[in-house]
Amino acid sequence: MGSMLKGEGPGPLPPLLQQYVELRDRYPDYLLLFQVGDFYECFGEDAERLARALGLALTHKTSKDFTTPMAGIPIRAFDAYAERLLKLGFRLAIADQVEPAEEAEGLVRREVTQLLTPGTLVQEALLPREANYLAAIATGDGWGLAFLDVSTGEFKGTLLKSKSALYDELFRHRPAEVLLAPELRENPTFLEEFQKRFPVMLSEAPFEPMGEGPLALRRAQGALLAYARYTQGEAFSPRPFRPYDPGAFMGLSEATLRALEVFEPLRGQDTLFAVLDETRTAPGRRLLQAWLRHPLLEAGPIEARLDRVEAFVRDSALREGVRRLLHRVSDLERLATRLELGRANPKDLAALRRTLAVLPELSALLGEGFPLPELGPLKEELEAALVEDPPLKVSEGGVIREGYDPELSALRRAHEEGVAYFLALEEQERARTGIPTLKVGYNAVFGYYLEVTRPYYDRVPPEYKPLQTLKDRQRYALPEMKEKERELYRLEALARRREEEVFQALRERAKREGEALREAARLLAELDVYAALAEVAVRYGYVRPRFGERLFIRGGRHPVVERRTAFVPNDLEMDHGLVLVTGPNMAGKSTFLRQTALIALLAQMGSFVPAEEAVLPLFDRIFTRIGAADDLAGGRSTFMVEMEEVAQVLREATEKSLVLLDEVGRGTSSLDGVAIATAVAEALHERRCYALFATHYFELTALNLPRLKNLHVAAKEEAGGLVFYHQVLPGPASKSYGVEVAQMAGLPREVVERARALLQGLLARREGALEGVLERLLALDPDRLTPLEALKVLHELRALALGLVRS
């Protein structure tokens, strides 16, 4: 049966554990954290799970008929522990005491007040500053994919035609938790592949369709809303659902985002996002991420963004002023959500007050062109109502400013008079009894009491009722003290209740401005991003990109690499053609490829770019095939994966695509490699896309293609070995420096010498054989050969040629 609890003894369960088990069984997928005083406790097997997960000591809860394991966390350290538990994959149900212990008849009532899962958090302390998405995936007329950020109410989705498009879009948003429709959850092949690629929490929800549009998308929407309402309560309602089309933005596949290190570093270094993130507010940071995730395709909106950035680049006083003010702004977007859910605490309202005080200053700085919503009345209300530094919880008292609410003030005054009675009582009783050490004390067990030390016991008047004897003092009470004390408790409870009412009214008042607060959050986020991009541009010397038909970059740099090491800027000019980049392996070919893509990506999100000058086409997609990415789905060779990715590029690239290929054909024997690389180069040339192809196959540099251009990354041999210049120059590289690179990498000298000798022999043999083939060919007179002789000569020539390639 469900209500079992691991433990020993005949039972029955004591009432507290009975209550625990009832609540626990209502939320079978959750770990129930059960408030007992200052702790959240777990019992039975859950206690063992909690102790294991957090490395806590396991204790026991013992009643006369039953003993069970117990583990808990102190409520004041809840946030830190909850964050760890969520990361470990627990869903948490928080059961709080919902009545003060002193008012309870028997067992204190407890209720589950919040459900916490990684994808539905609204608690500031537990959330990352980034967007925190819950995703839902359903099938039907394609793949329906929807996202909900419960903390901001952002609610959107799209219908995708292929699984690879689904994975790309998921990777762009990196959700914290995913709901899978039953047909996917029950498909073991899909499940296994999915969990390898996205190791996030998978949860269940009813996929009942809602809204309009394609069925798969309506099912995904319905699931998100159902799950959010289950965890947040029925009151939750998101922003209006926004269908979007990934095709309206620059296509960035998962492989591209990874290879370019846009959000995640490949080897624990910086990312593009980290270089750009000079934002001052959390909504600004989320917006910057959204822009990076979906660069634009239309010149108009891009130029509009660049105009705003440029205004901040030119006016440093304005930029610094705005950034200084934004520092004082809190996360209005998430605050508005907590207001709507009735979850905002006194600290939240104080943060709101601080933010609203900044708006007029910002308006004054920005002038006419930037209309921030008028929230003056709400600001004044909050300033009048809240104390300077309110506590986290209303129940702690001392939230509402003195004099704001007449009823509360009257209760507080009456309470103070009650306390004054006890202070006066000490003086009065000392005088009356002549006991100089007599004092009034208070403790939780006896309430107020009078205390007399041993030397004066004989002076204690008969109406003093003894309460407690300690070794050198005794405690007493007077009948009227109890009455006054009861009155004091009553006033305290009334004041506490009144303060809660006043606070709730204040919260309702703020909630009514929800739309205006969201609008303000949106404008502040944009302002933040423009100012941040301008800050980056000024600090690191970026320039405003222009858009045109051909690509021209002068003095281009890699935005991330240049933050770490001295960087040699370089140029690139191309037009619907194929650029071959040759040069030794460590000279920086892939950096050159990546920097071109990053400059294009920055330009289309509306940022200045790291170059002296940049004119770019508007790219519809960036394709990359860089480095040997591990095959996540397992089992296929690197070469196979590489060929599949190249095949996708050749299928999907248009004349407006930017394609970066790095060392294609490496995973196979060198002859196959040359053949494949040549075929791919020709196919790309045919597609008329913008293609950069880094290779160490020199055979390619001689291809006879009209729109082929050769560049090489300079390296020069000097007495001490090879020097890389990381400078990109026209023309093919003079030779491959594999042997020199091997020497630099520290291969033993005799191995390097042997390799060098072999290489020279091979080159000589190759040249000798080549001459032999040519001489033989030139000596022939085709007109005099019989068909049989011709066939024989062909075989001989082929044998010579084979000797040449095999050498």
Side-chain angles (χ1 to χ4, degrees), residues 406-426:
E407 189 184 329
L408 180 60
S409 297
L411 287 167
R412 282 176 176 170
R413 261 197 310 281
H415 184 266
E416 275 161 29
E417 283 161 20
V419 173
Y421 158 83
F422 286 103
L423 295 175
L425 185 69
E426 190 169 279

Side-chain angles (χ1 to χ4, degrees), residues 29-30 86 89-92 115-121 133-138 175-186 190-191 194-195 198-207 219-220 222-224 226-228 230-231:
D29 297 342
Y30 290 73
L86 288 163
F90 286 91
R91 300 179 182 83
L92 307 176
L115 296 176
L116 304 179
T117 78
T120 60
L121 299 170
Y133 290 114
L134 174 71
I137 309 171
E177 187 175 356
V178 176
L179 309 173
L180 291 180
E183 70 273 14
L184 296 171
R185 213 175 41 239
E186 290 151 19
F190 175 82
L191 203 60
F194 188 86
Q195 286 178 300
F198 301 101
V200 299
M201 179 180 283
L202 296 179
S203 302
E204 295 187 27
F207 275 71
R219 289 177 66 213
L224 288 178
Y227 192 73
Y230 179 69
T231 58

Side-chain angles (χ1 to χ4, degrees), residues 80 155 165 178 299 422 431 469 473 479 495 582 591 657 794:
F155 192 25
V178 176
F422 286 103
T469 304
R473 61 193 66 191
T582 46
T591 302
S657 301
L794 262 180

Side-chain angles (χ1 to χ4, degrees), residues 255 257-261 263-271 594 626:
L257 288 173
R258 279 187 200 280
L260 298 178
E261 301 182 274
F263 295 117
E264 289 175 0
L266 284 174
R267 286 179 204 80
Q269 294 277 13
D270 302 330
T271 61
R594 287 186 169 102
I626 293 185

Side-chain angles (χ1 to χ4, degrees), residues 272-466:
L272 180 63
F273 180 63
V275 168
L276 291 184
D277 185 21
E278 284 294 329
T279 56
R280 286 289 168 90
T281 69
R285 184 185 167 101
R286 292 194 290 272
L287 185 64
L288 177 66
Q289 263 189 319
W291 284 13
L292 255 183
R293 212 183 275 134
H294 286 124
L296 305 173
L297 298 178
E298 309 281 320
I302 297 173
E303 297 287 5
R305 283 182 186 180
L306 288 167
D307 288 343
R308 303 303 283 274
V309 175
E310 183 163 1
F312 278 122
V313 166
R314 293 192 166 176
D315 189 340
S316 61
L318 177 66
R319 183 175 76 251
E320 280 154 23
V322 165
R323 284 169 58 74
R324 203 172 44 247
L325 288 174
L326 285 173
H327 230 6
R328 308 201 327 244
V329 166
S330 59
D331 191 338
L332 273 190
E333 201 180 3
R334 283 178 174 166
L335 226 158
T337 298
R338 285 201 296 282
L339 281 169
E340 280 169 16
L341 289 170
R343 290 257 178 95
N345 61 40
K347 285 247 186 283
D348 284 331
L349 290 192
L352 177 57
R353 170 181 64 189
R354 190 179 65 236
T355 303
L356 296 182
V358 177
L359 295 185
E361 296 182 57
L362 271 171
S363 292
L365 255 184
L366 294 161
E368 294 300 282
F370 209 88
L372 285 162
E374 180 40 62
L375 287 156
L378 176 59
K379 167 179 114 53
E380 281 155 29
E381 195 73 27
L382 290 168
E383 280 169 352
L386 282 179
V387 299
E388 219 25 68
D389 186 19
L392 191 58
K393 292 198 165 82
V394 196
S395 53
E396 292 174 45
V399 172
I400 300 300
R401 209 183 269 282
E402 197 39 61
Y404 173 73
D405 177 63
E407 189 184 329
L408 180 60
S409 297
L411 287 167
R412 282 176 176 170
R413 261 197 310 281
H415 184 266
E416 275 161 29
E417 283 161 20
V419 173
Y421 158 83
F422 286 103
L423 295 175
L425 185 69
E426 190 169 279
E427 285 303 301
Q428 175 197 319
E429 287 300 299
R430 274 186 192 181
R432 187 167 82 86
T433 58
I435 305 174
T437 61
L438 180 137
K439 66 182 219 280
V440 171
Y442 174 85
N443 76 19
V445 182
F446 297 109
Y448 286 95
Y449 54 78
L450 300 163
E451 189 172 271
V452 177
T453 51
R454 185 185 290 279
Y456 301 101
Y457 287 174
D458 54 342
R459 300 195 191 173
V460 171
E463 64 271 24
Y464 276 28
K465 253 180 54 218

